[in-house]
Amino acid sequence: MIVNSTELQNNFGKYLMLAAQEDIIVTRNGTEIAKLTAVKDTLNKVQPEVVHEKAPEYSFDGKKSTYEEFLTLQQESDDRYEYIDGEIYLLASPRTAHQMAITELFGNFYIFFQGTNCTPMVAPYDIELRRTPESINIVQPDLMVICDLEENLNENDYYKGVPSLVVEVLSKSTRSKDLIKKLDLYMSTGVSEYWIVNPDNKEVTVYQFEDQNISNSATYKNNEAAQSFMFKGLNAKISRIFRV
């Protein structure tokens, strides 16, 4: 099948599914520029190549995408996406270790913040972060703590503030984005604390940000408990986070 780049952009979700059945040739100004194809997994099931979370595969026409293009894609697809520094990322379905870690952490956070003005929330929940007024980023942290919810809800019930604390659980496909892109984004947009949960080596690293820089960091493993810098007394046992 041959489609032009505009058609692909406007109906990305549809062609993502069609790519499981046949190759999609993408053209621009009548010239073939790319091919959307499929790969087979170990069970010989066909899955679209673009499910891998790498930025170049989600940039339209080999360039960074506009915020408007991201909104169009988000509205026309049932998939989950993030938009960071002008590039679109497809969020893959989480694995069991990921969900176990988030469930444990959310339980700890929920109990700790009861009776306070801070509320723990889990994905999917869009967070809008801006490096500058014109630079819009949309992310879905795995877990976040919001302490200014009521004053930052707009008329459509969407939160427009900045979480105080965010948590991301690493996977092979998201490692570089979470360790580099998101760390820099959170640090530069007003997030105060960032927890990186690594199921592979069963470690949790906690960063505290001040004045758009890292002011403190610590890594916890084995029989230790991860500790918050910002919220004294907030902790989570490593052995409980990584039960599988």
Side-chain angles (χ1 to χ4, degrees):
M1 179 182 296
I2 299 176
V3 299
N4 62 49
S5 57
T6 301
E7 171 69 10
L8 177 68
Q9 172 185 319
N10 292 337
N11 299 280
F12 185 75
K14 178 179 74 173
Y15 289 110
L16 187 64
M17 299 301 297
L18 289 174
Q21 307 299 324
E22 62 178 302
D23 289 347
I24 308 294
I25 305 299
V26 185
T27 65
R28 181 173 58 189
N29 298 326
T31 301
E32 295 183 1
I33 60 170
K35 180 170 71 173
L36 186 63
T37 187
V39 294
K40 293 184 179 180
D41 64 17
T42 56
L43 297 177
N44 293 320
K45 296 179 180 179
V46 177
Q47 297 183 350
E49 190 173 47
V50 292
V51 297
H52 302 294
E53 192 166 356
K54 297 178 182 177
E57 292 160 344
Y58 306 109
S59 297
F60 297 110
D61 296 345
K63 63 177 179 61
K64 288 192 172 184
S65 303
T66 66
Y67 180 60
E68 289 70 25
E69 289 172 331
F70 165 74
L71 291 179
T72 299
L73 174 60
Q74 191 180 49
Q75 292 166 2
E76 295 184 352
S77 174
D78 292 330
D79 294 318
R80 294 169 51 213
Y81 298 93
E82 292 183 314
Y83 184 68
I84 303 174
D85 295 333
E87 296 186 73
I88 297 174
Y89 295 86
L90 174 65
L91 297 177
S93 178
R95 300 195 179 191
T96 301
H98 177 288
Q99 295 301 85
M100 293 288 285
I102 287 300
T103 299
E104 177 68 23
L105 286 168
F106 178 76
N108 281 24
F109 285 22
Y110 180 81
I111 293 171
F112 181 84
F113 287 108
Q114 278 192 317
T116 74
N117 64 343
C118 296
T119 304
M121 307 277 280
V122 294
Y125 191 64
D126 282 347
I127 297 295
E128 178 182 302
L129 300 173
R130 297 176 182 246
R131 297 183 189 274
T132 67
E134 298 78 23
S135 175
I136 303 175
N137 299 271
I138 303 295
V139 292
Q140 291 191 3
D142 291 318
L143 173 61
M144 67 220 81
V145 176
I146 296 173
C147 298
D148 58 354
L149 185 63
E150 292 186 3
E151 55 264 43
N152 282 293
L153 287 179
N154 67 12
E155 63 277 7
N156 296 316
D157 197 36
Y158 288 110
Y159 174 68
K160 294 299 180 181
V162 177
S164 298
L165 185 156
V166 295
V167 178
E168 298 284 5
V169 180
L170 300 183
S171 66
K172 291 182 180 179
S173 64
T174 67
R175 183 183 304 274
S176 62
K177 175 164 66 73
D178 292 341
L179 288 174
I180 301 173
K181 284 182 174 289
K182 281 193 170 181
L183 188 149
D184 180 69
L185 177 66
Y186 294 147
M187 181 172 60
S188 63
T189 55
V191 173
S192 296
E193 189 165 293
Y194 181 30
W195 291 37
I196 298 178
V197 180
N198 190 338
D200 287 339
N201 60 16
K202 294 180 168 45
E203 292 181 352
V204 175
T205 299
V206 179
Y207 293 95
Q208 183 180 28
F209 302 137
E210 293 179 345
D211 299 323
Q212 298 186 355
N213 210 336
I214 298 173
S215 58
N216 285 296
S217 67
T219 297
Y220 303 91
K221 56 186 177 181
N222 300 327
N223 295 320
E224 298 174 330
Q227 307 281 339
S228 171
F229 291 108
M230 183 177 183
F231 300 103
K232 299 304 180 183
L234 176 62
N235 61 74
K237 293 182 178 179
I238 299 300
S239 60
R240 293 285 303 172
I241 295 172
F242 304 114
R243 284 180 287 168
V244 295

